Amino acid sequence: MARKGIFSSESVTEGHPDKVCDQISDSILDACLARDSMSRVACETLAKSWITLAGEITSNAGFSRSDYRDIARDVIKRIGYNDASYGKPLHRVRVLVDIVTQSPDIAQGVNEGDNHEQGAGDQGMMFGYACDETPAFMPLPISLAHGLISRLTQVRKDGTLPYLGPDGKSQISFDYDRNCIHTVVLSTQHSPDVKKEQLEDDLKRLVIRPVCGEYLESDFGPYVRMFINPTGRFVSGGPMADAGLTGRKIIVDTYGGSAPHGGGAFSGKDPTKVDRSAAYAARYIAKNIVAAGLARECKVQLAYAIGVANPVSLHVETDGAFNAELSDFVAKHFPVKPRDIIEKLNLRQPMYARTASGGHFGCDEFPWERVDKVPMLKEYAGERSVAK
């Protein structure tokens, strides 16, 4: 489907307060899975002037409260909040831990037994999406917004722009009618001594143009608007300036608003939680369908009841219309039960901290980004064509 008008998507840096929390929660998950691949983890993080870890973890990893504190502080230090230039060095802050084991009422629905297949860890609906706008089969606005954030982090950490701080946000408004960027919004934490003029010039040259140049150098170049630190000053940032919480950037994590979201966050949850694993499966389905040429745009919805293995519904839309035949085919040939999803996509490995900044989709290193079902889908499309 050809998109029309102006559409906007945003992204945030690894130092954004909510993303700090996502990375801590997923780093705890990774640590548990590295020692015990069957770990059940539901870990939430709150960050302000101290860090609070809360949730349910059932694992043979053998971690103590002190270990969880160390993981949280290591994440904060890696991001860059060990530098007193940007406020209180958070890697030394107090970390409160309120973690217990998983509720037995939930566990009995997820555990497998002689007469029970592994069920979904909760009820809910999850969406997957893919389109042909970019080589990664992601919408262009969110891809550009993520690209700005990645570049911003790179020039901060490699010393190109040493005055930058860890916190920041980007936003791209893309004009599909003109095929160019309409507006760039880029806000970044900085040291107090840098002048606004220098900051604007450096970010235009070293961040915005390297990422967005293809869509800035068109005949509509003068049409592009840029807002760089539009309030004029961004010295105080991170959790010290604004409280962070796990799971508050779910649109940044997914498709930048180009597709629906079921409402469940991803970070801090092991793959028995379908909020996470089924969203990955839905993306896997949608991406393979578009990569096989069956649609320019595909949206997949899965829905579950807690403790039940089979999804209660599976809905596939191609190019804006419900595709009943393809929905039936997907149900037969793609993993949609929790156990099948976990095994097919190899989700019991410690890889989740990498998803907690820069988005969960569009990066080939993640197993749900594979397009190994393309030959099967092309064969299916060929058989349907012959039958008609």
Side-chain angles (χ1 to χ4, degrees), residues 59-382:
S59 174
N60 292 320
F63 287 119
S64 66
R65 292 181 180 227
S66 177
D67 293 322
Y68 294 135
R69 293 187 186 102
D70 289 343
I71 292 169
R73 290 175 177 139
D74 285 346
V75 170
I76 291 165
K77 184 176 181 179
R78 175 184 57 76
I79 291 170
Y81 284 120
N82 54 318
D83 187 343
S85 302
Y86 301 107
K88 184 178 180 181
L90 272 181
H91 69 296
R92 297 176 182 171
V93 300
R94 184 181 181 192
V95 180
L96 305 179
V97 180
D98 186 7
I99 292 175
V100 297
T101 57
Q102 185 181 53
S103 161
D105 294 339
I106 295 175
Q108 71 178 353
V110 180
N111 293 338
E112 291 193 77
D114 293 338
N115 299 309
H116 179 77
E117 188 175 8
Q118 180 178 331
D122 202 351
Q123 71 175 52
M125 63 279 192
M126 301 82 211
F127 288 90
Y129 180 80
C131 63
D132 63 1
E133 290 181 14
T134 65
F137 299 97
M138 290 289 287
L140 185 55
I142 188 65
S143 293
L144 292 173
H146 284 329
L148 287 174
I149 290 306
S150 176
R151 179 68 180 168
L152 194 64
T153 301
Q154 179 186 337
V155 297
R156 171 174 68 91
K157 288 192 167 182
D158 68 13
T160 301
L161 297 179
Y163 59 78
L164 296 181
D167 198 356
K169 302 179 78 172
S170 70
Q171 185 170 286
I172 292 287
S173 298
F174 193 83
D175 189 330
Y176 281 90
D177 297 330
R178 296 177 179 238
N179 193 38
C180 73
I181 292 172
H182 178 274
T183 304
V184 177
V185 183
L186 188 61
S187 298
T188 179
Q189 190 180 11
H190 59 83
S191 61
D193 54 345
V194 66
K195 296 186 180 299
K196 182 173 174 60
E197 295 77 13
Q198 179 189 352
L199 179 71
E200 289 183 352
D201 180 68
D202 286 346
L203 293 184
K204 286 178 182 178
R205 289 187 303 107
L206 299 172
V207 178
I208 296 174
R209 287 204 175 275
V211 173
C212 302
E214 178 182 356
Y215 301 101
L216 297 174
E217 301 293 349
S218 68
D219 293 338
F220 303 102
Y223 172 71
V224 178
R225 300 186 301 172
M226 292 191 189
F227 297 97
I228 298 174
N229 279 18
T231 63
R233 181 179 171 87
F234 189 177
V235 173
S236 179
M240 296 79 72
D242 187 15
L245 190 65
T246 298
R248 285 203 301 197
K249 286 293 174 282
I250 56 177
I251 302 303
V252 172
D253 285 343
T254 53
Y255 309 102
S258 291
H261 195 294
F266 302 157
S267 290
K269 297 177 181 178
D270 75 84
T272 66
K273 280 74 172 174
V274 286
D275 279 341
R276 182 168 218 157
S277 54
Y280 293 165
R283 162 65 176 177
Y284 175 63
I285 295 166
K287 183 176 180 180
N288 273 271
I289 289 171
V290 176
L294 274 64
R296 296 194 61 192
E297 179 186 54
C298 181
K299 180 174 69 179
V300 176
Q301 187 202 54
L302 294 167
Y304 294 86
I306 188 169
V308 179
N310 281 304
V312 297
S313 69
L314 191 163
H315 182 98
V316 178
E317 289 185 12
T318 51
D319 297 329
F322 171 58
N323 192 321
E325 290 185 15
L326 192 52
S327 296
D328 291 341
F329 182 84
V330 165
K332 295 175 183 176
H333 297 282
F334 280 82
V336 291
K337 294 181 181 180
R339 180 180 179 182
D340 293 342
I341 294 170
I342 291 169
E343 292 182 352
K344 172 64 178 177
L345 301 182
N346 193 18
L347 297 183
R348 293 198 184 277
Q349 58 177 309
M351 58 180 172
Y352 295 104
R354 300 198 304 275
T355 70
S357 179
H360 293 243
F361 306 115
C363 181
D364 286 343
E365 69 177 290
F366 301 137
W368 49 89
E369 294 294 319
R370 295 197 303 258
V371 288
D372 55 320
K373 295 286 190 178
V374 165
M376 179 188 69
L377 286 163
K378 286 185 174 180
E379 182 180 351
Y380 157 78

